[in-house]
Every structure is written in structure tokens, then in C-alpha cells.
């Protein structure tokens, strides 16, 4: 039996609930319409909003064995299949298909040309370890594949001091410095890396420094062990040793980032990493530089404070395994051409006694000091593979690759040579070899990806017409494509378009009032490929607000 | 506050939130901030995936650290003491001392067929600025089922017997590095040997099958002083899995029977390997030849348990372990190996060799031969972690499993 009071309460509750449900439904509808809108007032966005302050960020470690097994066996099945059956466009892009500045990425050389000096400066070149004061060893670097120390110079700046493999001087240190400059110019956050020369007397051992012996036991680091390590290093003519000093990143280091998923404790990390163009496009950059070891261990998240606000900044680190270097020795020739675990290729070669000799096995590699195994002849940008499959790389689509390829193509020969110079290779022929390879690999990348979609870019409205650049032609990779243009009006709210008959030139159609127009660019030579360019007119101003590509 | 009021407040709050979101979502910036705000309400602590936690736990476990030798120098050895002697397991301990100027190694193992052994070795790898080196070792083995098929190249596969071999060796090997790749040294040791009834029930004991004439030294064993020297030139690109270069060595040892005066002899071991790489070292032709020669003075004999042998994973892979015993031996191996993947190499090989009585029989006539193939699973350092060789000869086929033993 229900009392009157209870009945009234129940009725009132029901009415409230119904009202809320209606409000919710309206909200849902409005929200759905919001999602239907293609362009917002602030599109195209060139900078993500300031990150929200974070707290309680955990330090993250990654286990090498897990990372290798997961990458080799789980990633190809998961992201490999997803890329084939349910491809997902990148989510960190603006409506032009570019990546806004964020804690992951900053638009640099390809968008705001850097001078030679800026390219050589990279993330910084003004705070190397003070050569006139002692360097205190405060820790021994026992992770990674090259031995080293953590040092503090006279200004209490901290650096990781890493050495080249004794049999291959200059190999890793040069690669590490060159990599930090190029990846910085490409838009990533990288550490300041310096080639340093020092004398033994400059190193001082702080108290209580421990070293993890290969047996697993931690033992005190002694002056004699420092001597032993240096004894294996070649001494330069002036009695100094060469090493790489990588400046400690500013902020609190919280460990590597994953190329898949998002951190559950970071409110700013809202996009799955495998759906970030900055990480997908890294596949093209890695192919260019032969950065085969794109495992998590070579990334680093740092908690930084800006304007009193803490947030996570994402870095690429440790480039000692790029170009011809494998970190502790020259690369093996298969690197870049197949994954570490490659069952099908293995079976095929096993049963054919290795009679088929692929191109990379026939390449003529340089034997110059500091080069390692690096070439352009055997390089195929569409077939390049990291050592372990990378989830973001597998999810890369042609738009991601094009975004990256045009950045690679933006470097001139002179700029590449200038950045290679920062590796301070003692043999100029070695620097020339590396630069030549990078130039040829750049051209192959530009050629390969600009053929996969219409390489039209840098759209602008000028003199009453739509203008663009044919990047393939600009880079000398072919003749300018014949482009046909169709025009349509575009309803931003409904995302529908209506073709304007008779408008078949690059000249803007008559635009009455404010609104959106769409130009469809096609080439009879590439029937499946097109580019849609969206123009918003507000008052007298017509602005490019969107670019979509199909292939 | 009554329940209806509470519901009203909740409803109003939701409406305000919705209205706020609606008002905010007029720009891309708002959409991004809205997603962040939403995530902020769902933050959870970072937890590694379960599979990673399991792997980390496994790596930190004592059994794993013992197997990988990362438990403060302590570890576990697995395998067999000699091929065919059954599965063996035992502890080992390695300790670099005085900043790795001295390396101490101690290990012991026991097999399921009642074989056991132990070894202590002290190595001084770098003395006097890397110029000299020295190793002191003492080893005791008690192997219960050593195979013996009789003397010479005409022994029969069906004539297999087995004997127990017990030996203790105390040895010092000092040496000098003349220049890069070339080293030479001296060998001095005391060796005590005893043989006995074989443990196997499948094969007859050697004592019951062969007399002292067919197995010199079977009836009485002795102890030896051993002294000699060695010289080696090694220019291989790497020791454990070379693809180029070569290694050539000669070792001369004199055995002095200090008890019976009947088994003193000289032994010369010659060994040469050459590696020829092709196609950026993805194909390698490996050629290997070796010969062991002995000579005993008047009335002296070479005891069968110290004679050169052929057959096994390092000699004739299509024959059983120690299939042939003789006073002298000569052997050649040829191998073509090719890269299948970073984790796998394959090889085909051919082995040929013989044992013989007199030095004038040193030639390549009447060789025992085999062919086979090899599957090599490589670790991250591009060296085989595990090898399976299968050899075929007119006596059947043999499969050899090896862990980290490629030379």
C-alpha cells in the first residue's frame, strides 16, 4: 500500500526525471548537431589550448622484454588489422590536415623556415658542459646499450655523458647529435646534445656512486673503473677523449610514453597515441633517418612547469641508433628492411637456401669512420620497417605520410649538410656520405608519397583565385599535374555541398554574403585522387579553412 | 533537504552543465577543453598491463635470475656434461674481483645417469697492460657412460661399449699477446685418470668387450704431468659467431706417465678456420680443418681415453659422439650458412675425417663423411642462442642441440 505522501513524492520525482530526460535528449540532439558541424569559428586551429594543470602523475617504467614481445607479436595483429579493416584518420590535426602546436609537437622548419644557424642550434647549443671546470660523476648509466655517466658541470647543469663503441669511434655520438637537430627541426622536443672533448683529469667522482655490474650486483664505481672505461676509448691527438653530452631535460622525468593508448592519469592526453599524426608521421621521419629503434625506451615524458601550471611534455630521446649506427656497433644490413621477427621472410629464405639476394644485401656500404651501415641505394620508403612494429606507424595512412613527407622534402641540400656538420665527424668524406644519403633518401620519400595522393599544398586565396603549389613539381620530381577544378557551395551545419554549374577554373566563384565554398581539385592523370579545399568568406575576407584529401 | 529537492538540484546541475557545454562548444578550442574536462573526471592511476607485470615479476624471480646468471654471480647450469651423458644440472658462481682483473668461476653439475663434475677456474685476463694473461683451473669429472667402439677407423657401430671415466686435472696456462691477434703460451698440468665399469644397461661395459690390446690403458690407469705450449693467430671479426677472418692454432703437449712408465706420449693439435663472407655478411662460407697427431716412444702407448676422437657436434655430425678413436685424426668441415631473418640462420654442412694409426697415413683417402643442415636461433646480439644440427651419414642420422656454443 502506498501512502499519499509517498505517492506525491514519487510523482514529483517522476516529473523531474522526465524533465531531465527531455533536457538530456535535447542536449544530446544539440550535441549531435555540434559534431555535425565541420568548421568552427577558430578553425583552422594552429595551437592547442593551454594544457590543464596536472597532478598525481606516476613515474612510468617500461620493461624491454615486454615491449619487444608486445610489439612483435601483439601489435601487428591489433594495429595491423585495425589499419586494414578499420582505418582511423589522425585525430590531432586541424582542419587543414596540419598538426597544431602542442606539448607533443611544434611547427618548425617546414612551416616557418629556420635559418642555417637555427637548424644547427636545434634545441639549444649554448649550454654545453663547462670545459673549464671539473665534471662530477654523480651516477653511472647502466641502462641502454652504451656505457656512460651522469655528470654535473661547474654550473650544476646535469648531462648524460655517453661514449662511442671503442671499435667504432664517432659512430654513435655523431648520430645522436645529428638526430637531435633534425628531429627538433621536424617539430619534436629533443634534448640538447653536444659533442664534447675532455681530459681524464676533468672527471671527478662524487661520493657513493654505484654501478650495476653485468652480474646484476650493484658495486661502487671507482676511479679505476673510470680509467678502465676511458682506456678503451681512443685518445685524440691532443690527449682528450670524445663523447656525447646530452643535457638533462628540464622538469621532472616521469618515464617514456607508449605509442599506443593514452595515459590514464593525464587529463590532457585525450587522443590515443596511435591516432596522433605526430607519432604516425614519425614512421616517415624514422625511415629517412633509419631510426630503427623506435621503442618506448627512446621517448621521455617530463613534467614541466610553465606560468605556474604543471603539464606533461613529450620528448624523443637517444638518437644513437639512427643513420648507420646501432648504438654499440654499426647497423646490420637487414635493419630498416624487415622487422626483427619476420616469419614469412624467414621461411621463404630458409627453403630457398638464400638464393634470392635482395637489394639491401647487395648494397655497397661505406667503410668510412663514423658512418656505419647507411645507404640510399637500397632504401625503399614504402617498405621501410622499424626493428619492432610500432602501433602508431602501422596506423599511418597516406595523409599522415604526406604530412611527414612534405616536411622531409622541405630541407634543402645545404640545410641537410649543415645539420650533418653538427656531428663533428673528423673525416669530411664521412659527413659527405651521410649527407648525400640523406639527400637521396629525402628525394625517394618525396617521390614515393607524393605519388600516393595529389601533392597539392600551401593553398591560398589571392587575386580572386585559388592558388596552390604542386610539391612534386616543386621538388623536381615530375611535371606539374594538370588539375581540374569544380566548385560547390558548402553547408557547414549539415556538411552538404551543392555544385555550382559552369565554375571550372581556379578563379573563385561569385560569393554572395558570408558562407562556405568548396573547390574539388582533380587530375585526369590520377583519377582516384582528389583534394577538397574549403573557403570561408566573412565580409570581404575569404580564407582557406579546410583541406581534405582522398586517394 | 528532501529527496525531491535533492533530485531537483541534481537535475538543475545537469542542465547547467549541459547548457554550459552547449555554450562552450562554439569553437574547436572549447571542444578540446571539453574533452579534457571530461577526462579529468575519469582519471585513474597508471597501472602497467597485466602481461608486463607478469614478465617483470618473472625477471625479478630467483629462478630466472639464477638461469641468467644475474643473481649476484650465482646461476644454474643446464645441459649435458658430454653428449649422450644425460641431462645435467648444477650451480655456478662467477665473481669478477679487483675491478675485473681476476675472474673466479666455480661450477658443479650432476646428471641423471650418475655423472658429476666440478670445476674451479681463476682467470687473469689482463696482466701487465693487457700484454699477458693466465688461467689456473682445476677440474674433476666422473662420467658414467663414455662410449667406446674400439680402436681405429674400422670399428663397428654395433660394437659400442661404455666405460666410466674419472679424471682430475690441475692446470696453469700463462700466455702473452705478441700483437693484436697473435698469442702464445705455456701449459703445465697434473692429470690423474681412472676408468671403470660403464653405468649403462643398454651397452656392454668396455672392460667386458675389449681387452688392453684393443683399448690401451684399460687395465691400468696412471697419472700424468703435462707440459707444452700453444700459439694462436686469431683475426675473426667476432669470437662467438664469426662471419669473416680466421683462426689458426697449434698446441703441443707432452704427457709424462709418472706411475707406470708405459703411457708417455706427445700430442700435437693443429686447427684452422676460415670464414668468407658474401653479400654484406648475410652468406658465409666457413671452412674448418683440424688434425691431432700423437707419438709415443719405444714401448709406450697412447691410452685410449686420451686418444683423438671423431664423431659428435664439433667433428663429424652424422656420427655418434666419440664414434672413432685412434692415435691420430684428421678432419675437415665445410659450411654454407645464410641469413633467414634477424632471429634465424640456416646452414648446410659437410664433414669428413678419419682416425689412423701411423703419421704416414695422414691423407684424405678413405674418409668417413656426412652431410647435414643446421638451424640457428639467434639472440639480439645476432649470435646463436640455440642451435640444432642434423647430420646424416651411412650410419644413420644424429641431432645435436647446442646452447651458446658456436665457434
Amino acid at each position: 500500500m502506498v501512502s499519499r505522501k509517498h505517492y506525491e513524492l514519487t510523482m514529483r520525482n517522476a516529473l523531474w526525471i522526465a524533465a531531465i530526460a527531455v533536457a538530456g535528449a535535447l542536449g544530446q540532439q544539440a550535441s549531435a548537431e555540434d559534431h555535425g558541424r565541420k568548421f568552427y569559428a577558430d578553425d583552422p586551429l594552429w595551437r592547442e589550448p593551454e594544457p590543464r594543470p596536472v597532478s598525481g602523475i606516476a613515474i612510468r617504467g617500461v620493461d624491454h622484454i615486454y615491449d619487444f614481445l608486445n610489439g612483435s607479436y601483439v601489435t601487428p595483429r591489433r594495429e595491423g588489422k585495425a589499419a586494414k579493416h578499420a582505418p582511423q584518420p589522425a585525430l590531432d590535426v586541424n582542419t587543414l590536415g596540419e598538426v597544431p602546436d602542442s606539448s607533443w609537437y611544434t611547427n618548425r622548419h617546414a612551416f616557418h623556415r629556420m635559418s642555417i644557424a637555427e637548424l644547427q642550434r636545434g634545441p639549444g647549443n649554448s649550454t654545453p658542459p663547462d670545459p673549464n671546470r671539473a665534471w662530477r660523476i654523480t651516477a653511472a648509466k647502466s641502462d641502454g646499450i652504451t656505457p656512460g655517466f651522469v655528470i654535473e658541470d661547474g654550473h650544476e647543469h646535469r648531462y648524460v655523458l655517453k661514449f662511442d663503441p671503442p671499435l667504432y669511434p664517432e659512430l654513435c655520438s655523431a648520430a645522436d647529435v645529428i638526430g637531435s637537430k633534425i628531429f627538433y627541426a621536424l617539430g619534436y622536443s629533443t634534448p640538447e646534445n653536444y659533442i664534447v672533448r675532455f681530459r681524464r683529469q676533468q672527471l671527478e667522482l662524487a661520493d657513493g656512486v654505484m654501478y650495476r655490474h653485468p652480474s646484476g650486483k650493484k658495486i661502487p664505481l671507482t676511479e679505476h673503473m673510470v680509467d678502465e672505461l676511458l682506456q678503451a676509448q681512443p685518445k685524440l691527438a691532443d690527449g682528450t677523449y670524445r663523447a656525447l653530452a646530452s643535457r638533462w631535460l628540464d622538469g621532472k622525468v616521469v618515464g617514456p610514453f607508449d605509442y599506443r593508448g593514452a595515459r590514464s592519469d593525464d587529463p590532457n592526453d585525450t587522443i590515443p597515441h596511435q591516432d596522433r599524426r605526430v607519432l604516425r608521421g614519425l614512421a616517415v621521419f624514422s625511415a629517412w633517418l633509419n631510426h630503427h629503434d623506435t621503442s618506448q625506451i627512446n621517448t621521455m615524458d617530463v613534467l614541466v612547469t610553465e606560468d605556474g601550471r604543471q603539464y606533461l611534455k613529450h620528448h624523443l630521446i637517444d638518437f644513437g641508433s639512427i643513420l648507420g649506427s646501432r648504438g654499440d656497433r654499426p647497423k646490420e644490413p637487414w635493419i630498416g628492411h624487415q622487422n626483427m621477427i619476420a616469419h614469412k621472410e624467414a621461411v621463404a629464405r630458409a627453403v630457398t637456401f638464400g638464393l634470392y639476394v635482395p637489394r639491401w644485401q647487395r648494397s655497397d656500404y661505406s667503410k668510412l669512420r663514423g658512418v656505419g651501415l647507411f645507404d640510399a641505394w637500397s632504401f625503399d620508403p614504402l617498405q621501410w620497417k622499424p626493428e619492432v612494429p610500432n602501433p602508431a606507424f602501422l596506423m599511418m595512412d597516406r595523409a599522415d605520410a604526406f604530412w611527414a613527407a612534405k616536411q622531409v622534402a622541405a630541407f634543402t641540400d645545404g640545410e641537410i649538410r649543415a645539420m650533418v656538420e653538427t656531428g663533428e665527424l673528423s673525416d669530411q668524406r664521412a659527413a659527405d656520405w651521410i649527407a648525400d644519403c640523406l639527400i637521396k633518401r629525402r628525394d625517394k620519400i618525396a617521390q614515393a608519397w607524393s605519388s600516393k595522393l595529389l601533392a597539392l599544398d600551401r593553398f591560398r586565396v589571392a587575386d580572386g583565385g585559388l592558388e596552390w603549389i604542386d610539391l612534386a613539381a616543386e621538388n623536381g620530381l615530375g611535371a606539374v599535374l594538370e588539375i581540374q577544378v569544380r566548385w560547390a557551395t558548402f553547408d557547414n551545419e549539415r556538411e552538404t555541398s551543392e555544385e555550382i554549374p559552369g565554375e571550372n577554373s581556379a578563379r573563385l566563384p561569385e560569393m554572395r554574403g558570408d558562407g562556405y565554398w568548396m573547390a574539388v581539385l582533380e587530375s585526369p592523370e590520377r583519377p582516384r585522387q582528389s583534394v577538397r579545399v574549403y573557403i570561408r568568406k566573412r565580409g570581404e575576407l575569404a580564407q582557406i579553412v579546410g583541406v581534405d584529401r582522398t586517394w | 533537504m528532501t529527496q525531491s529537492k535533492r533530485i531537483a538540484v541534481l537535475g538543475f546541475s545537469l542542465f547547467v552543465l549541459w547548457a554550459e557545454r552547449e555554450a562552450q562548444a562554439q569553437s574547436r578550442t572549447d571542444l578540446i577543453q571539453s574533452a579534457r574536462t571530461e577526462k579529468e573526471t575519469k582519471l585513474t592511476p597508471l597501472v602497467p598491463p597485466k602481461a608486463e607485470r607478469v614478465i617483470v615479476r618473472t625477471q625479478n624471480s630467483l629462478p630466472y635470475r639464477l638461469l641468467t646468471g644475474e643473481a649476484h654471480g650465482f646461476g644454474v647450469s643446464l645441459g649435458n656434461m658430454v653428449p649422450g651423458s644425460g641431462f645435467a644440472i648444477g650451480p655456478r658462481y662467477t665473481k669478477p674481483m679487483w675491478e675485473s682483473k681476476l675472474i673466479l668461476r666455480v661450477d658443479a653439475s650432476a646428471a641423471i645417469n650418475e655423472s658429476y663434475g666440478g670445476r674451479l677456474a681463476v682467470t687473469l685476463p689482463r696482466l701487465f697492460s693487457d700484454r699477458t694473461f693466465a688461467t689456473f683451473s682445476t677440474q674433476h669429472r666422473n662420467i658414467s657412460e663414455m662410449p667406446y667402439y674400439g680402436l681405429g677407423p674400422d670399428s663397428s657401430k654395433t660394437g659400442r661399449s661404455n666405460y666410466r671415466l674419472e679424471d682430475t686435472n690441475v692446470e696453469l696456462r700463462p700466455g702473452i699477446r705478441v700483437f693484436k691477434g697473435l698469442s702464445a703460451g705455456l701449459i703445465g698440468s697434473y692429470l690423474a685418470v681412472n676408468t671403470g665399469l660403464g653405468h649403462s644397461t643398454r651397452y656392454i661395459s668396455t672392460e667386458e668387450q675389449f681387452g688392453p690390446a684393443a683399448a690401451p690403458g684399460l687395465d691400468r690407469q696412471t697419472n700424468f704431468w703435462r707440459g707444452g705450449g700453444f700459439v694462436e693467430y686469431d683475426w675473426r671479426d667476432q669470437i662467438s659467431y664469426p662471419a669473416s677472418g680466421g683462426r689458426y692454432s697449434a698446441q703441443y703437449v707432452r704427457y709424462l706417465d709418472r706411475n707406470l712408465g708405459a703411457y708417455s706420449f706427445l700430442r700435437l693439435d693443429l686447427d684452422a678456420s676460415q670464414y668468407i663472407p658474401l653479400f654484406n655478411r648475410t652468406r658465409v662460407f666457413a671452412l674448418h680443418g683440424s688434425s691431432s697427431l700423437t707419438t709415443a716412444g719405444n714401448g709406450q702407448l697412447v691410452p685410449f681415453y686420451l686418444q683423438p676422437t671423431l664423431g659428435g657436434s664439433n667433428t663429424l655430425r652424422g656420427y655418434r659422439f666419440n664414434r672413432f678413436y685412434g692415435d691420430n685424426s684428421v678432419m675437415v668441415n665445410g659450411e654454407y650458412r645464410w641469413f633467414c631473418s634477424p632471429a634465424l640462420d640456416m646452414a648446410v654442412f659437410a664433414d669428413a675425417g678419419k682416425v689412423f694409426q701411423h703419421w704416414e697415413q695422414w691423407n684424405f683417402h678413405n674418409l668417413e663423411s656426412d652431410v647435414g643442415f643446421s638451424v640457428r636461433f639467434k639472440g639480439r646480439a645476432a649470435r646463436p642462442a640455440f642451435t640444432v644440427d642434423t647430420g646424416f651419414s651411412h650410419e644413420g642420422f644424429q641431432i645435436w642441440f647446442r646452447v651458446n656454443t658456436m665457434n
Side-chain angles (χ1 to χ4, degrees):
Chain A
M1 191 164 174
V2 179
S3 71
R4 182 175 174 76
K5 189 180 172 188
H6 188 210
Y7 171 79
E8 282 178 358
L9 208 60
T10 309
M11 278 304 290
R12 244 182 270 164
N13 290 352
L15 284 171
W16 272 113
I17 289 164
I20 291 163
V22 169
L26 286 171
Q28 286 285 330
Q29 194 183 346
S31 177
E33 282 176 7
D34 274 350
H35 287 296
R37 187 187 300 172
K38 189 167 177 72
F39 299 108
Y40 287 86
D42 54 350
D43 281 331
L45 199 68
W46 280 103
R47 182 173 181 79
E48 280 192 9
E50 294 302 319
R52 298 186 75 82
V54 301
S55 61
I57 293 286
I59 292 179
R60 180 173 180 269
V62 61
D63 180 74
H64 299 276
I65 295 178
Y66 167 76
D67 199 24
F68 173 74
L69 293 175
N70 189 54
S72 295
Y73 293 100
V74 180
T75 300
R77 285 176 173 77
R78 192 179 49 207
E79 274 75 27
K81 280 185 181 170
K84 269 186 191 166
H85 303 301
Q88 161 77 48
L91 299 174
D92 60 339
V93 294
N94 64 20
T95 47
L96 296 174
E98 305 295 348
V99 179
D101 292 350
S102 69
S103 58
W104 289 89
Y105 173 82
T106 305
N107 286 287
R108 293 202 180 99
H109 184 59
F111 303 90
H112 319 288
R113 291 206 75 81
M114 298 164 74
S115 66
I116 292 285
E118 286 171 327
L119 289 169
Q120 290 187 321
R121 182 159 61 240
N125 65 354
S126 57
T127 52
D130 187 342
N132 301 314
R133 295 163 81 169
W135 299 350
R136 287 180 72 237
I137 299 173
T138 58
K141 175 183 171 291
S142 48
D143 59 341
I145 51 179
T146 47
F149 307 118
V150 177
I151 59 162
E152 261 182 27
D153 74 351
H155 307 288
E156 296 189 348
H157 292 154
R158 266 198 298 175
Y159 304 82
V160 178
L161 196 67
K162 293 192 282 186
F163 298 97
D164 284 303
L167 292 176
Y168 307 101
E170 305 179 9
L171 179 69
C172 305
S173 54
D176 221 327
V177 172
I178 295 167
S180 71
K181 309 292 181 187
I182 297 182
F183 277 109
Y184 179 81
L186 287 167
Y188 296 91
S189 297
T190 61
E192 291 178 31
N193 286 352
Y194 301 93
I195 300 289
V196 292
R197 292 171 184 81
F198 64 95
R199 293 180 190 282
R200 169 65 183 92
Q201 305 87 289
Q202 210 164 337
L203 294 180
E204 285 179 359
L205 192 55
D207 292 334
V209 178
M210 301 298 282
Y211 167 75
R212 188 182 289 278
H213 190 269
S215 67
K217 192 176 178 182
K218 274 196 167 181
I219 54 175
L221 184 72
T222 63
E223 295 279 358
H224 183 80
M225 290 166 78
V226 176
D227 288 339
E228 292 256 297
L229 195 147
L230 290 177
Q231 199 174 22
Q233 291 295 317
K235 223 178 210 178
L236 303 177
D238 61 356
T240 59
Y241 296 98
R242 173 186 162 120
L244 171 90
S246 183
R247 189 164 175 202
W248 207 260
L249 295 169
D250 288 333
K252 183 187 173 190
V253 168
V254 297
F257 64 74
D258 199 339
Y259 281 89
R260 183 179 180 276
R263 281 187 77 109
S264 61
D265 58 354
D266 179 7
N268 300 305
D269 202 0
T270 56
I271 296 174
H273 298 174
Q274 71 274 20
D275 293 333
R276 287 191 170 274
R277 180 160 288 173
V278 289
L279 298 184
R280 293 178 175 190
L282 184 61
V284 174
F285 305 141
S286 298
W288 183 34
L289 299 170
N290 217 11
H291 186 13
H292 72 278
D293 187 8
T294 53
S295 57
Q296 298 182 50
I297 194 80
N298 289 330
T299 69
M300 191 60 75
D301 281 350
V302 177
L303 203 53
V304 295
T305 306
E306 272 178 18
D307 302 329
R309 178 198 291 120
Q310 273 198 323
Y311 68 95
L312 277 187
K313 196 170 175 185
H314 314 279
H315 295 75
L316 300 182
I317 61 164
D318 207 343
F319 309 104
S321 292
I322 70 167
L323 305 175
S325 168
R326 204 184 176 181
D328 58 350
R329 58 188 187 278
K331 276 190 166 65
E332 283 129 49
W334 61 268
I335 290 178
H337 301 279
Q338 63 174 75
N339 300 131
M340 181 89 177
I341 302 297
H343 297 303
K344 284 181 188 168
E345 293 93 330
V347 170
R349 290 196 191 109
V351 299
T352 56
F353 294 84
L355 291 178
Y356 171 67
V357 185
R359 200 173 171 89
W360 57 267
Q361 293 180 359
R362 289 177 279 131
S363 190
D364 190 13
Y365 295 101
S366 163
K367 291 178 177 60
L368 294 166
R369 167 189 276 219
V371 174
L373 249 68
F374 188 52
D375 80 325
W377 185 72
S378 68
F379 173 58
D380 180 348
L382 302 180
Q383 296 298 323
W384 185 89
K385 291 182 178 70
E387 186 170 353
V388 176
N390 180 308
F393 292 9
L394 290 175
M395 293 299 287
M396 180 178 76
D397 60 24
R398 292 186 189 189
D400 302 319
F402 177 72
W403 169 82
K406 72 183 182 190
Q407 292 205 59
V408 172
F411 290 95
T412 65
D413 294 3
E415 289 164 349
I416 289 172
R417 290 188 193 285
M419 285 190 291
V420 171
E421 270 177 32
T422 62
E424 297 183 32
L425 289 157
S426 58
D427 189 339
Q428 185 56 41
R429 293 171 303 164
D432 289 342
W433 175 279
I434 292 173
D436 289 344
C437 287
L438 286 174
I439 289 165
K440 289 174 190 162
R441 289 169 80 104
R442 174 203 64 191
D443 292 344
K444 282 189 169 187
I445 285 171
Q447 175 90 60
W449 290 112
S450 60
S451 67
K452 295 289 175 188
L453 35 66
L454 289 184
L456 311 180
D457 202 50
R458 286 186 244 151
F459 295 95
R460 63 181 193 135
V461 174
D463 299 330
L466 178 64
E467 294 183 353
W468 61 86
I469 301 289
D470 185 330
L471 290 181
E474 188 187 57
N475 293 317
L477 303 171
V480 175
L481 283 177
E482 181 193 340
I483 299 295
Q484 295 169 347
V485 184
R486 290 184 288 119
W487 287 94
T489 55
F490 182 73
D491 186 331
N492 187 39
E493 303 299 325
R494 294 187 176 81
E495 288 198 48
T496 56
S497 60
E498 192 174 331
E499 191 159 335
I500 306 170
E503 293 288 354
N504 295 317
S505 75
R507 285 210 63 77
L508 299 185
E510 189 181 355
M511 295 175 169
R512 289 185 191 153
D514 293 349
Y516 290 85
W517 281 262
M518 179 177 80
V520 181
L521 280 64
E522 293 163 321
S523 170
E525 298 158 57
R526 310 263 190 89
R528 288 183 185 172
Q529 301 172 359
S530 70
V531 183
R532 293 176 180 200
V533 182
Y534 299 88
I535 298 170
R536 177 171 57 206
K537 181 166 169 282
R538 291 264 167 83
E540 292 303 309
L541 180 68
Q543 181 195 6
I544 310 283
V545 289
V547 176
D548 284 343
R549 298 174 191 276
T550 58
W551 54 82
Chain B
M1 191 184 280
T2 62
Q3 191 179 351
S4 59
K5 280 183 182 167
R6 277 200 297 272
I7 292 172
V9 168
L10 175 68
F12 182 72
S13 304
L14 282 171
F15 180 78
V16 167
L17 270 175
W18 164 76
E20 191 181 40
R21 188 178 164 192
E22 173 66 2
Q24 281 176 348
Q26 295 302 314
S27 70
R28 189 73 60 186
T29 304
D30 294 341
L31 268 187
I32 293 169
Q33 289 292 28
S34 166
R36 291 174 178 174
T37 308
E38 194 179 336
K39 182 163 181 188
E40 214 162 28
T41 63
K42 298 173 184 170
L43 294 180
T44 55
L46 203 61
V47 180
K50 189 180 174 188
E52 184 173 10
R53 295 201 302 270
V54 170
I55 288 172
V56 170
R57 214 168 33 235
T58 305
Q59 287 179 82
N60 291 331
S61 68
L62 186 62
Y64 180 90
R65 290 166 60 212
L66 286 173
L67 280 172
T68 54
E70 290 179 0
H72 302 300
F74 287 98
V76 173
S77 297
L78 301 174
N80 45 26
M81 296 169 69
V82 295
S85 68
F87 179 76
I89 186 169
R92 60 189 158 91
Y93 177 70
T94 305
K95 186 175 175 62
M97 298 161 80
W98 298 320
E99 291 158 339
S100 295
K101 280 182 177 169
L102 185 150
I103 298 166
L104 172 70
R105 287 194 182 90
V106 185
D107 61 64
S109 56
I112 50 179
N113 68 351
E114 297 182 13
S115 296
Y116 59 89
R119 184 179 58 155
L120 180 148
V122 177
T123 306
L124 301 155
R126 283 171 293 161
L127 285 171
F128 305 114
S129 304
D130 219 18
R131 276 280 183 210
T132 57
F133 57 92
T135 302
F136 169 79
S137 66
T138 176
Q139 182 179 36
H140 176 75
R141 298 185 302 169
N142 188 330
I143 299 165
S144 64
E145 295 179 25
M146 285 294 279
Y148 186 66
Y149 296 84
L151 199 57
D154 301 323
S155 61
S156 165
K157 179 188 172 188
T158 54
R160 176 169 177 171
S161 65
N162 80 109
Y163 65 97
R164 179 179 290 273
L165 175 67
E166 233 184 315
D167 61 14
T168 304
N169 186 32
V170 181
E171 184 175 282
L172 180 66
R173 292 171 78 101
I176 183 167
R177 294 185 183 90
V178 183
F179 55 80
K180 190 182 174 187
L182 180 66
S183 56
L186 299 172
I187 301 168
S189 90
Y190 183 79
L191 174 68
V193 185
N194 185 35
T195 64
L197 283 174
H199 172 267
S200 172
T201 53
R202 285 180 64 197
Y203 302 107
I204 193 168
S205 185
T206 303
E207 290 185 344
E208 295 166 9
Q209 174 107 340
F210 300 99
L218 181 65
D219 52 340
R220 48 187 192 154
Q221 291 84 49
T222 185
N223 300 336
F224 300 91
W225 284 110
R226 299 193 322 143
F230 63 90
V231 60
E232 174 187 288
Y233 181 61
D234 188 350
W235 63 290
R236 294 172 296 175
D237 58 337
Q238 54 185 18
I239 292 170
S240 57
Y241 197 49
S244 65
R247 177 181 177 271
Y248 324 106
S249 69
Q251 177 175 294
Y252 168 86
V253 177
R254 183 168 186 189
Y255 288 73
L256 278 178
D257 177 353
R258 62 178 298 271
N259 292 348
L260 305 174
Y263 297 106
S264 294
F265 64 98
L266 305 171
R267 176 165 173 158
L268 176 65
D269 292 295
L270 303 168
D271 192 281
S273 304
Q274 187 67 46
Y275 301 89
I276 303 160
L278 294 172
F279 299 119
N280 288 317
R281 308 156 83 85
T282 56
R283 316 283 190 283
V284 176
F285 283 103
L287 306 172
H288 174 234
S290 70
S291 183
S292 295
L293 305 171
T294 63
T295 181
N298 282 342
Q300 303 290 311
L301 292 169
V302 181
F304 79 103
Y305 46 81
L306 291 175
Q307 284 175 342
T309 61
L310 290 180
S313 61
N314 289 319
T315 55
L316 304 181
R317 284 165 277 189
Y319 294 86
R320 289 178 175 174
F321 174 64
N322 281 7
R323 171 65 185 80
F324 300 102
Y325 284 69
D327 281 346
N328 308 286
S329 72
V330 61
M331 178 197 68
V332 289
N333 313 103
E335 172 180 298
Y336 162 68
R337 77 169 186 245
W338 71 95
F339 172 95
C340 294
S341 88
L344 180 74
D345 272 2
M346 293 277 292
V348 289
F349 59 78
D351 309 317
K354 69 174 181 181
V355 294
F356 51 94
Q357 195 66 29
H358 305 291
W359 284 21
E360 54 270 26
Q361 293 170 306
W362 197 103
N363 56 41
F364 293 101
H365 300 150
N366 302 319
L367 300 180
E368 300 289 344
S369 61
D370 63 59
V371 294
F373 66 91
S374 176
V375 183
R376 291 156 193 188
F377 299 95
K378 295 181 286 185
R380 291 200 85 177
R383 293 172 199 140
F386 183 62
T387 299
V388 185
D389 289 351
T390 306
F392 301 87
S393 72
H394 68 88
E395 291 192 354
F397 72 92
Q398 299 293 323
I399 300 175
W400 306 99
F401 299 92
R402 285 191 286 181
V403 180
N404 282 336
T405 52
M406 286 304 303
N407 287 311

